[in-house]
Amino acid sequence: MESDKQNLQRTMTSRHITMMALGGAIGAGLFKGSSAAIDMAGPSVLLAYLIGGIILLFVMQGLAEMAVRNSNARTFRDLVQSILGKYPAYFLDWIYWKMWVLNITAESIVAAIFIQYWLPDYPIWILALSVSVLVTVINLLSVKAFAETEYWLALIKITVIIVFIIAGFILLLVTFGDHTAVGFSNLTSHGGFFPNGPTGLITAMLVVIYSYGGTEIIGVTLAETKNPEKVVPKAVRSTLVRIISFYLVPFLIIVSLIPWNEVNGVPESPFVMVFKMIGIPGADHIMNAVVLLAIISSMNSGLYGSSRVLYTQAMDGRIPKVFSKLSKKKVPVYSILLCTSVLYIGVLISLFAGSKTFDFLMGSLGYTVLCIWLIIAIAHVKSRKKQPEQTSAYAVKWFPYTTWFAIIALSAILIGIIFTTSIIVTSITLAIYIFITITYVFKGRLHQNEA
């Protein structure tokens, strides 16, 4: 069994997994979900993303510490099972898988929406199908080829966000030609900083958590990363600074340049709107192309993460062994194909629901990211009881206060979201969680009967 586990090649470096985490987190949640978050919270969306970023920092620090303590771990389940037991590990594995397959489905729809900017006569489902096929092909290449593709896609969108930030501040602060410096009056002049009150802020937290979700994919790269005990903490530190910067600063520019109550009234991304304001010929088309690449990059990371969860499940005999079969390029081909098949189900759904498919999926995904972060944080607290701090080469500062802050904050957000989210989204998500639990109980009884 041990030799089989080594079939996955350790070819990913720190720069690969850093960019992969960015690729997973800087996608539809930023470029499309930003409109929904601003519509819910107004300018106070800045506070929502700051709170979410702090929580993410504390959760990821705990994940990095556990990865260093358990250098033989391949995915989250290996980190969590020895600490919390079989059921939490099983539940985490499957909700993580569910999160990514739903996320790549949602993002295929968003990608199609951006392609429609150029091809308005083509239906959403045809465009989503084209993107889905492209992402499938990329993932069937070697891990190194996939990682390099993801690296450059992520680098492109990060470069453009930096250009966006520079251009945005010029529009805000500099008067030139026919343009008058906008300043920051839009932050308070349309109903105040909290136009929808505390409820708007709480409701937006679901989009915020969804947007940041994907960063924890670092925990799935363990089996294919060189020296994970050194690389993971480094990647966590660099990733978090960039993610918080690439969310908070662009949002500050968007809600300062555009009145918050006008952002959600147009079909295009707020990023495209701002580039139009710059007045560069074709800037809106350039930005639309970059946003499209960013979303494909996020889908790329998602298909990788979900397929690796299936692979390790198959390796441990929890699902049919065929899903552990590797291609000549050393990728789990059947796991990838099963995960990508969900993409095509999403395409069928979009045939009837169209662009609203994204909104339906985003609520359930927010719940799932919350649960994943909670389980990681709880596991981190318990891991310290099993292994004292001095036995680890990497230890979180200010423990346990940081992790307990994350647990309490996530629990409070979860309660708030339950009361402010559509009952349909909540019910569907709960039904999925109950189904996962039932399968765990059924499998346990099946093993007992066989024994």
Side-chain angles (χ1 to χ4, degrees):
M1 178 71 79
E2 187 60 31
S3 60
D4 286 339
K5 290 177 184 177
Q6 298 306 314
N7 284 340
L8 285 178
Q9 296 180 322
R10 291 187 181 272
T11 54
M12 286 200 282
T13 62
S14 177
R15 73 183 179 94
H16 288 142
I17 67 169
T18 297
M19 284 299 187
M20 189 180 299
L22 287 167
I26 302 177
L30 175 61
F31 295 115
K32 176 65 177 171
S34 54
S35 300
I38 293 169
D39 194 48
M40 293 169 183
S44 67
V45 73
L46 296 171
L47 184 58
Y49 275 94
L50 177 60
I51 294 169
I54 292 169
I55 295 169
L56 174 63
L57 169 65
F58 295 157
V59 171
M60 291 298 292
Q61 283 180 337
L63 175 64
E65 183 182 288
M66 289 190 293
V68 170
R69 290 171 183 269
N70 188 356
S71 58
N72 293 321
R74 298 157 299 163
T75 64
F76 291 122
R77 191 182 74 245
D78 293 338
L79 291 176
V80 169
Q81 185 161 310
S82 60
I83 300 165
L84 298 181
K86 290 183 178 180
Y87 171 68
Y90 180 91
F91 184 76
L92 176 63
D93 235 14
W94 283 113
I95 66 169
Y96 191 72
W97 181 81
K98 190 260 321 185
M99 180 195 81
W100 272 123
V101 293
L102 287 186
N103 188 63
I104 57 179
T105 302
E107 296 200 318
S108 70
I109 306 303
V110 178
I113 292 169
F114 281 100
I115 295 173
Q116 266 195 335
Y117 189 73
W118 298 307
L119 304 171
D121 296 331
Y122 285 81
I124 289 285
W125 73 269
I126 287 180
L127 301 176
L129 179 63
S130 303
V131 173
S132 301
V133 171
L134 174 63
V135 172
T136 303
V137 171
I138 292 172
N139 268 264
L140 289 173
L141 299 173
S142 68
V143 173
K144 190 171 183 180
F146 155 78
E148 282 295 323
T149 302
E150 183 58 25
Y151 175 83
W152 289 106
L153 285 174
L155 187 62
I156 289 170
K157 63 183 168 187
I158 288 165
T159 302
V160 172
I161 290 173
I162 291 170
V163 173
F164 172 87
I165 290 170
I166 294 169
F169 276 120
I170 291 172
L171 289 171
L172 284 170
L173 304 174
V174 180
T175 297
F176 56 90
D178 295 331
H179 173 76
T180 303
V182 178
F184 297 96
S185 60
N186 279 328
L187 291 175
T188 54
S189 59
H190 299 276
F193 191 72
F194 294 91
N196 296 326
T199 302
L201 180 66
I202 293 169
T203 307
M205 287 305 301
L206 185 64
V207 183
V208 170
I209 298 297
Y210 161 71
S211 300
Y212 280 144
T215 315
E216 68 293 317
I217 197 172
I218 288 173
V220 183
T221 65
L222 299 175
E224 292 168 282
T225 302
K226 294 177 181 177
N227 304 316
E229 64 280 359
K230 293 180 181 178
V231 167
V232 172
K234 181 182 176 183
V236 165
R237 284 191 294 268
S238 59
T239 299
L240 287 167
V241 172
R242 294 176 200 182
I243 286 177
I244 294 171
S245 301
F246 293 151
Y247 270 95
L248 279 178
V249 179
F251 269 95
L252 173 63
I253 290 168
I254 290 168
V255 295
S256 298
L257 279 176
I258 308 167
W260 71 269
N261 51 357
E262 295 178 14
V263 170
N264 209 32
V266 293
E268 60 201 14
S269 164
F271 286 80
V272 176
M273 292 171 67
V274 170
F275 266 71
K276 273 186 175 179
M277 293 174 68
I278 297 170
I280 301 172
D284 54 328
H285 291 287
I286 295 169
M287 191 63 203
N288 202 67
V290 170
V291 171
L292 179 60
L293 286 176
I295 292 166
I296 291 172
S297 162
S298 184
M299 290 176 66
N300 215 24
S301 292
L303 187 50
Y304 171 88
S306 56
S307 64
R308 269 39 177 196
V309 169
L310 280 189
Y311 171 80
T312 53
Q313 288 273 12
M315 286 298 300
D316 294 344
R318 290 178 169 86
I319 60 174
K321 276 284 184 183
V322 66
F323 294 109
S324 66
K325 183 176 176 58
L326 300 180
S327 68
K328 291 180 180 179
K329 300 287 187 181
K330 298 296 182 182
V331 296
V333 57
Y334 293 111
S335 288
I336 290 171
L337 291 176
L338 178 63
C339 294
T340 201
S341 68
V342 181
L343 267 176
Y344 304 118
I345 294 171
V347 169
L348 289 175
I349 294 171
S350 70
L351 187 60
F352 303 101
S355 60
K356 289 186 178 181
T357 309
F358 174 76
D359 299 323
F360 296 151
L361 293 172
M362 188 168 62
S364 178
L365 289 164
Y367 270 123
T368 301
V369 176
L370 266 172
C371 290
I372 290 167
W373 289 8
L374 267 171
I375 293 171
I376 292 171
I378 292 167
H380 180 225
V381 169
K382 289 207 168 186
S383 71
R384 280 290 190 93
K385 293 179 181 178
K386 295 200 171 190
Q387 266 187 305
E389 180 183 348
Q390 59 267 26
T391 62
S392 175
Y394 171 83
V396 174
K397 293 180 180 179
W398 307 107
F399 179 88
Y401 306 109
T402 53
T403 309
W404 272 113
F405 172 84
I407 292 171
I408 294 167
L410 287 169
S411 301
I413 293 168
L414 180 59
I415 293 168
I417 288 172
I418 288 171
F419 286 104
T420 56
T421 302
S422 160
I423 188 68
I424 296 173
V425 171
T426 303
S427 300
I428 291 172
T429 306
L430 182 62
I432 292 170
Y433 293 171
I434 291 172
F435 176 76
I436 291 170
T437 303
I438 289 171
T439 60
Y440 175 80
V441 173
F442 177 76
K443 282 196 169 189
R445 288 180 179 174
L446 194 65
H447 287 310
Q448 283 181 352
N449 292 336
E450 287 175 354

